[in-house]
Amino acid sequence: MRFLWKTCVVLFGSFITSIGIILFVTTGHGVDPISVLLQGLENYTPFRFGTLSQLFNAIVLFVVFLLDRSKIYWGSLLNALSVGYFINRLIVLPIFSFSGVETYFFSIVGVFLLGMGLGVYLSANFGVGALEGLMIYLSDKWGISIKFVRIGLDAMLVISGFLLGGTVGLGTLVGVLLIGPTIEWTLTLINVFKGKIKFS
């Protein structure tokens, strides 16, 4: 029963995350660091955005597995594949077509949904995400604060994606500043209800 519950939490968090990413991408004001790279790769590969997300996560997850498999569980693989699946299925829907001033509003909404989705997924304690796993490993290995490792990884993703033709804009900056705090806020809120809702 606990396995099934954790699986549902991971899928729900992945679904929210995918909505946030889609809003980032479709509003056109810049995307989160990983999506900058994926957009750039879209220009040089035949794969769809969601499929590239799955490939990226799977490759990074495999590297993390080789470096420190103790952090990889079923939820890690499930999240890595389900986010890209949801993106491919949902991004084509007409409800994600925006124009004018509303694009700024939904871009900000995308930031918060992305952070909330990651927070929900992490609350399941069912394995770390691909980039999160790499971030934690490098932080432990080099003795550097997690936030600085994440900034460095994000910077590499943004620069690489921008050089490949990915979109960098206001949304990218807002995402870098607010996604982390939103994850923290979501986890804190979930912990408040942890006596009633058991994630671990």
Side-chain angles (χ1 to χ4, degrees):
M1 184 65 182
R2 179 171 294 182
F3 179 89
L4 179 60
W5 175 251
K6 286 175 176 283
T7 298
C8 291
V9 173
V10 169
L11 287 174
F12 181 61
S14 300
F15 178 79
I16 298 174
T17 299
S18 69
I19 297 295
I21 293 173
I22 290 171
L23 290 177
F24 251 131
V25 172
T26 55
T27 51
H29 296 299
V31 293
D32 61 285
I34 295 177
S35 296
V36 175
L37 176 62
L38 298 182
Q39 278 190 332
L41 291 174
E42 268 192 302
N43 296 324
Y44 299 94
T45 67
F47 301 113
R48 299 170 63 187
F49 185 90
T51 305
L52 285 171
S53 174
Q54 292 175 317
L55 290 172
F56 173 84
N57 285 322
I59 291 171
V60 176
L61 205 59
F62 180 69
V63 172
V64 174
F65 178 80
L66 294 178
L67 295 173
D68 184 6
R69 65 185 63 186
S70 67
K71 294 180 174 61
I72 305 299
Y73 298 102
W74 163 243
S76 303
L77 180 61
L78 185 61
N79 174 259
L81 298 178
S82 61
V83 171
Y85 173 82
F86 287 135
I87 290 174
N88 277 344
R89 291 292 182 179
L90 299 175
I91 199 169
V92 297
L93 297 179
I95 61 172
F96 294 111
S97 178
F98 308 105
S99 62
V101 177
E102 66 180 14
T103 59
Y104 292 94
F105 171 76
F106 283 109
S107 182
I108 299 300
V109 171
V111 172
F112 286 108
L113 286 179
L114 177 52
M116 289 172 63
L118 290 172
V120 170
Y121 155 62
L122 291 172
S123 73
N125 294 321
F126 211 25
V128 298
L131 195 61
E132 289 73 26
L134 182 60
M135 173 186 67
I136 293 171
Y137 173 82
L138 293 176
S139 175
D140 293 341
K141 182 75 173 179
W142 295 340
I144 301 175
S145 170
I146 282 180
K147 65 181 178 182
F148 291 121
V149 174
R150 185 56 185 253
I151 289 172
L153 290 174
D154 283 346
M156 290 175 58
L157 292 169
V158 170
I159 292 171
S160 300
F162 178 73
L163 292 176
L164 292 171
T167 303
V168 176
L170 180 61
T172 308
L173 176 60
V174 174
V176 170
L177 294 175
L178 294 182
I179 288 175
T182 303
I183 294 173
E184 184 177 16
W185 173 81
T186 302
L187 288 170
T188 300
L189 185 63
I190 288 174
N191 285 333
V192 172
F193 296 98
K194 215 166 187 181
K196 297 180 180 179
I197 304 175
K198 296 295 185 181
F199 290 120
S200 61

